[in-house]
Amino acid sequence: MKGNEFALSSILTIFTIIDLSSNMFYGKIPETLGTLKFLRVLNLSHNSLTSHIPSSLANLTALESLDLSSNMLTGEIPMKLTSLTFLAVLNLSQNLLTGPIPQEKQFGTFQNTSYDGNPGLCGFPLSMKCSSDESPPPRPSIVQEDNGSMFARGFGWKAVLIGYGCGLVFGLAVGYVAFKTEKPHWLVRFVEGERNGKTRRPNNKRLGRRRT
């Protein structure tokens, strides 16, 4: 500057426009660019920048124009960039970006020209659809034979577990009462009556045969 050399120790945060296009810059885009809160225009096009787009650019809430075209940027477009509600111009063409294009807020207004030359990108507004856009196959019903059954109406495994648990508790309670009261008489009579009835029936038939 004016014939003198100075070391740039820090970047002023009051910059509103940065245009470093058509140079020979290479390497990653610095994460520290996200600290330039007043930045409205950022142009880093026509360089040899690599790696991914830093998500810290989402902190540039006043940004109106972002041009990162004609570089060698890779990876996906950060979803955090959808928070740039003032972004009116976006150019990410001629890079090596991949994955789905964000669809929220301002990103739903950009045209194909913003993403040309990135064969790995997919989704609106490009004609290439992402695999996640395809409708998933219908999930099989739990009970297909009887559409009117309780399972088809949403009777799930939780209800089955609840019923099983209630039955188990009830069975344990009955067993406890039976042993605590030393075998209730009505239960003993019922069981013995069933047994006697089963043993007597074949005897009657045999007697009947002998009489004839």
Side-chain angles (χ1 to χ4, degrees):
M1 182 181 294
K2 296 182 180 180
N4 297 319
E5 293 184 2
F6 297 93
L8 185 62
S9 58
S10 62
I11 299 177
L12 297 177
T13 59
I14 60 174
F15 284 152
T16 57
I17 297 176
I18 292 181
D19 189 345
L20 301 176
S21 61
S22 301
N23 282 284
M24 300 179 64
F25 293 122
Y26 61 90
K28 299 180 181 180
I29 298 177
E31 293 278 349
T32 53
L33 286 178
T35 61
L36 307 178
K37 303 294 185 179
F38 297 95
L39 196 63
R40 295 181 179 272
V41 176
L42 177 60
N43 189 351
L44 301 177
S45 64
H46 295 88
N47 283 288
S48 299
L49 299 175
T50 57
S51 191
H52 60 277
I53 300 174
S55 58
S56 63
L57 297 183
N59 298 327
L60 306 177
T61 55
L63 196 64
E64 300 176 3
S65 177
L66 176 61
D67 191 345
L68 303 177
S69 62
S70 299
N71 281 287
M72 294 183 290
L73 299 174
T74 58
E76 297 185 357
I77 302 174
M79 289 294 298
K80 290 184 178 182
L81 295 184
T82 58
S83 62
L84 301 177
T85 55
F86 289 99
L87 194 62
V89 177
L90 175 67
N91 193 350
L92 302 177
S93 62
Q94 306 303 322
N95 278 287
L96 303 173
L97 299 174
T98 58
I101 297 174
Q103 303 296 325
E104 299 179 5
K105 299 179 181 177
Q106 295 297 100
F107 274 78
T109 64
F110 301 130
Q111 304 300 319
N112 295 39
T113 54
S114 297
Y115 311 103
D116 285 341
N118 292 278
L121 287 179
C122 60
F124 182 84
L126 300 179
S127 57
M128 181 181 296
K129 296 185 178 297
C130 301
S131 58
S132 59
D133 294 340
E134 299 177 359
S135 58
R139 299 178 62 183
S141 176
I142 298 176
V143 178
Q144 296 181 354
E145 292 81 9
D146 185 8
N147 292 331
S149 64
M150 295 182 69
F151 282 99
R153 292 196 302 267
F155 190 80
W157 59 271
K158 292 183 179 180
V160 176
L161 291 179
I162 292 174
Y164 177 80
C166 293
L168 180 61
V169 173
F170 178 75
L172 292 175
V174 172
Y176 175 78
V177 172
F179 284 103
K180 192 71 176 178
T181 57
E182 298 180 354
K183 297 183 179 179
H185 298 291
W186 64 270
L187 182 60
V188 175
R189 291 197 212 98
F190 177 76
V191 175
E192 291 181 351
E194 288 293 329
R195 291 180 177 177
N196 294 335
K198 291 180 180 179
T199 54
R200 287 175 183 176
R201 289 177 184 174
N203 293 337
N204 293 337
K205 292 181 180 180
R206 290 177 182 176
L207 292 174
R209 290 177 182 176
R210 289 180 182 178
R211 291 175 182 177
T212 57

